[in-house]
Amino acid sequence: MKLLTPRPDPRTHGAVDYLACAGMFWLPGALGLPEKTRRASQLAALSYLGVAALTDYPLALRRVIPFRVHGQTELLSVPLLALMPRLLDANTRERQYWHALAGLVSVAYLGTDWKADPDE
């Protein structure tokens, strides 16, 4: 009996990336978070969007960045997201937002099969 489900493939990860970018762009405003958090989150969303659009997976606009490098970039962004509250002198709601983002990016990273062939 297999206890774990298969890890998401590059196509699925790409779909999650684009949905996450939309959320990072619009969610701080919908939550009524301060302007500094909205702008920082929008900048992060646009950065993620740029990487997603250029990653070697089926949903990319141009397949330039190897899928594994995309994963390494994503992993390196987790500490930065976790540090954003300190960098922005954030209040409690903002801290919760940034820590939730860091957690979600961690889950996406850990849940993806980075060795998968982007063309399969």
Side-chain angles (χ1 to χ4, degrees), residues 1-107:
M1 178 168 103
K2 190 171 187 176
L3 297 176
L4 298 175
T5 59
R7 297 175 87 183
D9 60 16
R11 179 180 298 277
T12 303
H13 186 91
V16 169
D17 280 342
Y18 289 114
L19 288 171
C21 289
M24 288 171 65
F25 196 87
W26 298 108
L27 192 57
L31 294 172
L33 295 176
E35 182 75 16
K36 63 185 178 185
T37 292
R38 287 198 303 266
R39 295 290 176 219
S41 188
Q42 289 171 345
L43 180 61
L46 293 174
S47 299
Y48 274 97
L49 182 62
V51 171
L54 296 175
T55 293
D56 182 17
Y57 55 26
L59 300 178
L61 297 177
R62 188 153 183 249
R63 297 172 86 167
V64 176
I65 300 170
F67 188 55
R68 283 186 177 184
V69 173
H70 172 108
Q72 293 166 345
T73 302
E74 200 164 277
L75 182 61
L76 289 172
S77 74
V78 172
L80 180 59
L81 292 171
L83 285 172
M84 288 306 290
R86 190 174 295 271
L87 297 173
L88 296 173
D89 191 28
N91 65 33
T92 301
R93 289 184 66 227
E94 292 171 281
R95 284 194 303 274
Q96 291 170 339
Y97 172 77
W98 290 111
H99 292 156
L101 272 183
L104 291 171
V105 172
S106 297
V107 167

